[in-house]
Amino acid sequence: MHRRAIVLAAGKGTRMKSKKYKVLHELAGKSMIEHVVNNVKGSGVEDIVTIVGHGAEHVKETLGEQSQYSFQEEQLGTAHAVKMAEEHFANQDGTTLVVCGDTPLVTEETFRALLEHHESHHAQATVLSATAPNPFGYGRIVKDEAGKLVKIVEQKDASDEEQAIDEISSGIFAFDNAVLFDKLAQVKNDNAQGEYYLPDVLSLILEDNGTVEIYHTDDFDEIMGVNDRVMLSQAAQALRLRINEKHMRNGVTIIDPTTTYIESDVTIGMDTVIEPGVKLAGKTSIGEDTVVGQYSEITNSTIGNNVSIKQSVIDASQVEDDVKIGPFAQLRPESNIGEGVKVGNFVEVKKSDVKAGAKLPHLSYIGDAEIGERTNVGCGSITVNYDGKNKFKTVIGKEGFIGCNTNLIAPVTLGDRVTTAAGSTITDDVPEDSLALARSRQTTKEGYFTDKR
């Protein structure tokens, strides 16, 4: 059966107190609308229409071709919003999922289970429900003695007895597509809000003796909507703990999940240890048997196996196996660190290839450079690569020894097995198997202070 989805994302979200469109606020590295669309697609939905209003262009930029779009110019309620998708889905068979763009915690497994329950019971509509510890503000699920749905009543329209009900509607539904658009034309707005409510479609189906099912999820947090910054932080925390639990069940040790921030696209290998305060962001991949030390931050990078990272920052870089980094090192974008390399404390690397076995022990800046295999770069040495307008490259061969406080003025090339004397400023190319000295001769004034006195 063909599956479609309508994502409701036209509300401005004034309670967010933000210049940013509501569904574009982020948690775990993605906007709310991206989480929703990704999870909907994962449930087997083939076609998506997103209902946009305020900030439509920004939503379209974020989702791109993952969705089609319909514009809701005036905010007249959820039924009115869904009706906007008629231009794409009218007169078609199959199942249509309706989901809110501010519910990023609903998993693809729950969406799939809802759709399967709906289809297996041959229902015209199915509502996703949950039991709320505090149901205030939610539509209540009113059932008869047989446990069948009688109606969904909104908070402002509910009687005292109905307000005491703790089973609530998530605002997420599965519909027979043809029935949905037929009944939408019959929905009226005679309620406290003067809006066209989507749950009224269910009442119309029941009046025609149709089948309306309830699919209950045991995880109330999953259906949490986000209306303000407090709810955004609560949803982010719930998603973060869910992500961390997934990694731990896959064989990753996370010392303190409550202080560890791992975004949704990160992958981590078995027997890797993540210490407290770590942030792993973007499309980061970490291998097996690696230790990411506390307060390290890794973004959009690939880290190999058996790597040790201590209190360091890595961005858009690649680190091979058996590398030791830190403490207090920084790998800036396009740094490629070869197998067995040591990048020590207070070392910064930018857009450089550091070959296998090389050592950058401490207090160095390596930018726009190539460091050969097993070369050792002494303390305080830097590549001077920028003349204020252009960047130039430094190339050092294999098995070299760069003395402490060497300045390598790019563009410059040093051959294999070159040694530079400590304190040298190297401006010319150096052939292999050479010693380069480029420093002023020392002058000592004996008795200088005695004469002055």
Side-chain angles (χ1 to χ4, degrees):
M1 183 174 290
H2 194 89
R3 291 177 174 177
R4 303 173 181 83
I6 300 170
V7 180
L8 306 183
K12 185 177 181 181
T14 54
R15 281 184 282 173
M16 295 297 287
K17 298 288 194 299
S18 176
K19 296 183 290 295
K20 184 185 289 188
Y21 190 45
K22 177 182 176 180
V23 297
L24 297 182
H25 282 265
E26 293 188 354
L27 59 165
K30 290 182 181 176
S31 65
M32 287 193 278
I33 192 76
E34 287 177 284
H35 283 292
V36 170
V37 168
N38 287 346
N39 290 332
V40 165
K41 288 170 64 179
S43 70
V45 167
E46 298 167 67
D47 297 313
I48 297 174
V49 170
T50 301
I51 310 302
V52 293
H54 300 284
E57 292 307 314
H58 298 296
V59 175
K60 291 179 180 179
E61 288 172 10
T62 299
L63 294 180
E65 296 181 358
Q66 296 183 81
S67 174
Q68 301 177 81
Y69 303 93
S70 291
F71 187 75
Q72 185 188 22
E73 185 172 353
E74 202 174 357
Q75 313 296 297
L76 299 177
T78 50
H80 179 259
V82 171
K83 195 174 182 181
M84 297 300 101
E86 194 169 24
E87 59 181 324
H88 299 288
F89 289 168
N91 304 315
Q92 297 186 38
D93 296 326
T95 301
T96 295
L97 178 70
V98 178
V99 56
C100 303
D102 62 355
T103 53
L105 297 181
V106 184
T107 64
E108 62 181 65
E109 290 81 10
T110 295
F111 283 136
R112 187 182 301 112
L114 169 65
L115 291 165
E116 289 174 353
H117 180 94
H118 171 80
E119 292 165 357
S120 65
H121 286 77
H122 305 289
Q124 281 76 55
T126 303
V127 56
L128 177 65
S129 76
T131 302
N134 177 11
F136 182 83
Y138 290 93
R140 307 303 203 280
I141 300 287
V142 181
K143 296 188 287 191
D144 60 19
E145 293 179 354
K148 295 294 185 180
L149 181 74
V150 174
K151 63 179 177 177
I152 299 173
V153 60
E154 299 299 323
Q155 174 74 37
K156 291 185 178 181
D157 301 308
S159 66
D160 291 343
E161 184 180 356
E162 289 167 341
Q163 288 186 22
I165 297 170
D166 62 359
E167 185 175 5
I168 56 92
S169 167
S170 65
I172 296 169
F173 305 89
F175 291 100
D176 177 288
N177 187 73
V179 172
L180 170 63
F181 287 102
D182 177 57
K183 299 303 181 188
L184 280 171
Q186 303 173 39
V187 173
K188 295 181 172 57
N189 65 340
D190 48 356
N191 52 64
Q193 293 288 87
E195 293 186 352
Y196 297 91
Y197 290 152
L198 185 60
D200 287 351
V201 170
L202 279 63
S203 298
L204 291 168
I205 292 171
L206 291 171
E207 288 174 11
D208 287 347
N209 296 315
T211 303
V212 177
E213 284 289 316
I214 302 169
Y215 180 78
H216 186 276
T217 176
D218 294 329
D219 184 0
F220 172 73
D221 285 346
E222 192 174 5
I223 67 164
M224 183 190 304
V226 176
N227 292 320
D228 57 29
R229 307 284 182 140
V230 174
M231 298 178 78
L232 180 66
S233 70
Q234 292 168 344
Q237 182 182 42
L239 183 55
R240 184 167 65 249
L241 292 175
R242 180 193 295 173
I243 290 169
N244 291 350
E245 180 177 334
K246 177 193 74 174
H247 288 296
M248 289 187 286
R249 294 195 182 281
N250 287 336
V252 177
T253 295
I254 299 178
I255 303 298
D256 184 0
T258 62
T259 63
T260 302
Y261 297 77
I262 302 175
E263 293 186 354
S264 53
D265 287 339
V266 173
T267 61
I268 308 174
M270 190 168 57
D271 290 322
T272 282
V273 177
I274 310 296
E275 294 186 351
V278 166
K279 181 179 180 181
L280 306 176
K283 294 188 179 298
T284 289
S285 174
I286 298 176
E288 299 181 354
D289 302 298
T290 286
V291 177
V292 183
Q294 56 187 352
Y295 308 117
S296 293
E297 182 176 335
I298 305 174
T299 306
N300 291 322
S301 297
T302 301
I303 311 298
N305 301 321
N306 196 37
V307 174
S308 172
I309 301 168
K310 295 182 179 179
Q311 293 161 294
S312 295
V313 176
I314 302 174
D315 183 16
S317 295
Q318 182 156 333
V319 177
E320 300 294 339
D321 298 346
D322 303 310
V323 171
K324 297 185 184 302
I325 298 174
F328 313 120
Q330 181 180 14
L331 303 184
R332 290 167 57 192
E334 299 183 63
S335 296
N336 298 303
I337 309 301
E339 186 175 351
V341 166
K342 176 180 174 60
V343 179
N345 51 297
F346 302 105
V347 171
E348 180 179 352
V349 181
K350 189 270 293 184
K351 197 178 180 181
S352 295
D353 294 323
V354 183
K355 305 295 186 181
K359 294 181 180 179
L360 316 174
H362 35 218
L363 298 163
S364 292
Y365 169 71
I366 304 298
D368 297 275
E370 181 179 313
I371 310 298
E373 291 89 343
R374 297 176 297 284
T375 284
N376 185 92
V377 177
C379 174
S381 296
I382 64 170
T383 59
V384 185
N385 63 329
Y386 186 47
D387 66 358
K389 183 177 180 181
N390 297 303
K391 298 281 186 177
F392 298 98
K393 189 170 184 178
T394 298
V395 178
I396 303 173
K398 64 184 179 182
E399 296 171 356
F401 186 91
I402 307 303
C404 292
N405 289 317
T406 294
N407 299 314
L408 298 155
I409 312 295
V412 68
T413 298
L414 282 64
D416 297 340
R417 297 174 299 280
V418 163
T419 295
T420 65
S424 293
T425 296
I426 305 298
T427 58
D428 299 325
D429 292 350
V430 181
E432 63 183 36
D433 298 310
S434 299
L435 168 65
L437 300 92
R439 62 190 183 200
S440 300
R441 297 181 65 85
Q442 177 174 323
T443 300
T444 302
K445 304 287 188 179
E446 293 189 20
Y448 178 78
F449 287 106
T450 302
D451 292 346
K452 293 281 275 187
R453 284 195 296 267

